[in-house]
Every structure is written in structure tokens, then in C-alpha cells.
């Protein structure tokens, strides 16, 4: 478990002729701004049904966004250009809604000495990671694929699903490493640090800069 104290707020805006070629835009703190949200507001926007923009703004610890519409719009103006344009030109539809994620956590079923037969665990019950990196639904879909492969095998349903849990663990490992490596760069996140974290952090920074 890793304590991240993440808060995020969502709001919808009426979508007009601005950004005609944009479907989605996303910004997260990175090595260029020392991973500090105040230097580059973490946020995203997506074009959704009924001619609306769905906008998310995120922050950590004492910098979590609130429900005030003016403050929400002010944070959009400090994010990337598409969010700035929507803040400047679009009317908000309703009020911002806020959410809080205290921890990222995972459960290591592969380390159990015994597993009950006929049991599988998926989704947040297996692992939940920082949602601002957009991995939750992808993780769940890949876990479903791992389950489909297990069910298609010759393993009897009443036997422990060791093969499924090994496949699912490889999915979780990749998502966990990506999100927690970035989260550990936040000043308020104090660990646990994985073995070789300085090298992982350096590698992640190089990939981010190159992309």
C-alpha cells in the first residue's frame, strides 16, 4: 500500500467550435517541472456526448481541487492549452464534483501458500493505482483476458487458479511500477520505495522526456 492522498474534481462544459480537431488532451506533472502539480496542473479533457467537454483536474494532499467553479476554471488556465481554451470560451454545465483516493494498493495472491479452488480476484480487489494515469480500465480488461485464457485451458474449475493469478500479476506489475514511480516523486509520498528506485526513476524520466 502507498499513501498518495490524491484528490480530483470533474466538471462538464458546453462544447462549441473551439478545438475542432481535439478529442482528448491530457497533462501530468513530469521531470520538466519536478513532478510538482502547481507548476503544471494535472488535468484532462475529453469530448463526450451531448456536445460537452468532460474535464478532470487533479492534485495531491493540500493541493487537492475543490468544488468552487471559479477555482476550477483558474486551475484549467494553468494547465495545457486545450484546457485553457475550454476555460476561456466555454460555459460550465453544472458544478464540479470532487473525489478522493487515499491509497494505491495491491494484493499479492501469487505469494499465498494455498489458494481456494474456483476463486479469482479482479479489478480494484486485486490492485488499485493512481487514476490520473488512466490505467484502471486497461488493467481490468487485461485481467479479463487473463481470466478468459485460464477458463479456456484444461484446468478444472474447482482447482486453484494459479495460472490466472500469475498472468494478472504481470499486468499489475507494469501498471504499479509506472504509477508508483511517478507518485514517489511527490514530496508528501514517503514510500515504500522499491528496490532500485533511483534507476527506475531515472529511466522513467528519460522515457518521459523522449516522448
Amino acid at each position: 500500500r502507498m499513501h498518495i492522498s490524491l484528490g480530483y474534481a470533474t466538471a462538464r462544459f458546453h462544447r462549441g467550435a473551439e478545438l475542432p480537431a481535439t478529442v482528448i488532451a491530457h497533462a501530468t506533472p513530469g521531470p520538466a517541472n519536478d513532478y510538482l502539480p502547481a507548476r503544471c496542473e494535472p488535468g484532462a479533457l475529453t469530448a463526450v456526448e451531448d456536445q460537452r467537454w468532460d474535464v478532470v483536474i487533479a492534485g495531491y494532499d493540500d493541493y487537492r481541487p475543490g468544488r468552487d467553479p471559479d477555482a476550477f476554471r483558474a486551475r484549467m488556465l494553468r494547465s495545457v492549452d486545450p484546457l485553457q481554451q475550454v476555460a476561456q470560451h466555454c460555459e460550465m454545465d453544472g458544478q464540479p464534483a470532487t473525489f478522493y483516493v487515499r491509497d494505491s494498493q495491491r494484493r499479492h495472491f501469487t505469494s499465498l501458500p494455498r489458494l481456494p479452488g474456483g476463486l479469482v480476484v479482479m479489478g480494484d480487489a486485486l490492485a488499485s493505482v493512481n487514476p490520473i494515469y488512466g490505467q484502471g480500465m486497461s488493467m481490468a480488461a487485461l485481467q479479463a483476458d487473463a481470466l478468459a485464457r485460464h477458463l479456456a485451458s484444461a484446468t478444472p474449475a474447482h482447482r486453484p487458479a494459479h495460472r490466472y493469478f500469475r498472468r494478472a500479476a504481470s499486468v499489475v506489475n507494469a501498471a504499479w511500477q509506472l504509477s508508483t514511480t511517478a507518485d514517489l516523486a511527490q514530496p508528501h509520498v514517503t514510500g515504500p520505495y522499491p528496490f532500485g528506485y533511483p534507476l527506475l526513476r531515472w529511466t522513467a524520466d528519460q522515457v518521459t522526456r523522449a516522448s
Side-chain angles (χ1 to χ4, degrees):
R1 176 177 296 191
M2 180 176 292
H3 180 67
I4 60 174
S5 188
L6 170 77
Y8 63 99
T10 65
R12 286 199 169 185
F13 291 78
H14 291 271
R15 177 159 49 100
E18 70 288 333
L19 303 172
T22 299
V23 175
I24 188 169
H26 185 260
T28 58
N33 43 60
D34 293 329
Y35 291 91
L36 298 177
R39 296 187 182 180
C40 179
E41 293 285 348
L45 70 81
T46 309
V48 297
E49 65 275 2
D50 298 326
Q51 283 296 110
R52 299 292 191 270
W53 293 111
D54 191 55
V55 179
V56 179
I57 292 290
Y60 294 94
D61 211 22
D62 294 334
Y63 196 66
R64 300 196 300 268
R67 292 188 174 93
D68 179 74
D70 292 334
F72 188 94
R73 196 181 294 269
R75 291 179 74 142
M76 290 175 65
L77 291 170
R78 294 193 296 270
S79 189
V80 291
D81 181 68
L83 274 76
Q84 294 175 21
Q85 290 198 44
V86 171
Q88 291 168 347
H89 303 298
C90 300
E91 176 187 355
M92 187 179 291
D93 182 11
Q95 299 287 110
T98 57
F99 306 88
Y100 179 65
V101 180
R102 184 180 186 275
D103 302 304
S104 292
Q105 57 182 331
R106 64 179 301 186
R107 295 175 174 88
H108 296 273
F109 288 91
T110 54
S111 64
L112 293 176
R114 297 179 63 188
L115 277 173
L119 171 73
V120 295
V121 180
M122 300 180 67
D124 285 352
L126 185 60
S128 59
V129 296
N130 189 327
I132 70 169
Y133 301 112
Q135 301 181 104
M137 293 180 68
S138 298
M139 262 204 311
L142 290 170
Q143 290 163 22
D145 179 70
L147 177 59
R149 290 170 181 267
H150 174 72
L151 294 174
S153 70
T155 305
H158 65 277
R159 299 289 299 276
H162 292 292
R163 185 175 300 176
Y164 161 76
F165 281 109
R166 286 194 295 270
R167 286 197 177 109
S170 66
V171 172
V172 172
N173 287 341
W176 184 265
Q177 179 174 311
L178 187 153
S179 65
T180 58
T181 298
D183 286 340
L184 285 167
Q186 300 296 326
H188 72 283
V189 179
T190 58
Y193 287 87
F195 177 76
Y197 172 72
L199 178 60
L200 289 173
R201 168 75 182 276
W202 180 86
T203 302
D205 287 354
Q206 302 312 304
V207 171
T208 301
R209 290 191 176 98
S211 60

